[in-house]
Amino acid sequence: MQQLIEAIVKPLVDYPEEVRIETDETSNRVVYKLFVHPEDRGKVIGKQGRVAKAIRTIVYSAAGGHQKRKTYVDILD
């Protein structure tokens, strides 16, 4: 799933080398924490959060059939 998120995000940003994803897993959920360069945060979120929503939709769809746990994507500093 991390590779999927990276494949979506890296072409969108000016600093792809600073894209980092951490995973926080518990028994009933998985949280993917996406870290990008501060200047790229707006590009990843998009106008009115449209890009972030699209990223989450793709990740949730991909994870839906494979995992029994709830999946989240957080965009952090």
Side-chain angles (χ1 to χ4, degrees):
M1 199 61 64
Q2 289 180 331
Q3 292 175 341
L4 173 63
I5 297 169
E6 286 180 1
I8 296 168
V9 173
K10 283 188 176 183
L12 298 175
V13 298
D14 290 333
Y15 301 94
E17 66 280 353
E18 293 195 29
V19 172
R20 184 170 47 95
I21 300 168
E22 293 180 5
T23 306
D24 183 18
E25 297 187 41
T26 63
S27 61
N28 59 352
R29 70 182 183 139
V30 179
V31 179
Y32 295 101
K33 298 177 182 179
L34 174 61
F35 296 90
V36 296
H37 189 277
E39 292 180 17
D40 289 331
R41 201 172 327 123
K43 293 176 183 176
V44 174
I45 294 172
K47 289 185 180 180
Q48 297 180 351
R50 290 183 182 151
V51 174
K53 184 176 179 182
I55 292 169
R56 289 182 176 119
T57 300
I58 293 168
V59 172
Y60 298 163
S61 296
H66 300 293
Q67 299 179 1
K68 303 289 185 216
R69 299 179 285 182
K70 184 73 176 164
T71 304
Y72 300 93
V73 177
D74 291 338
I75 300 169
L76 305 170
D77 296 345

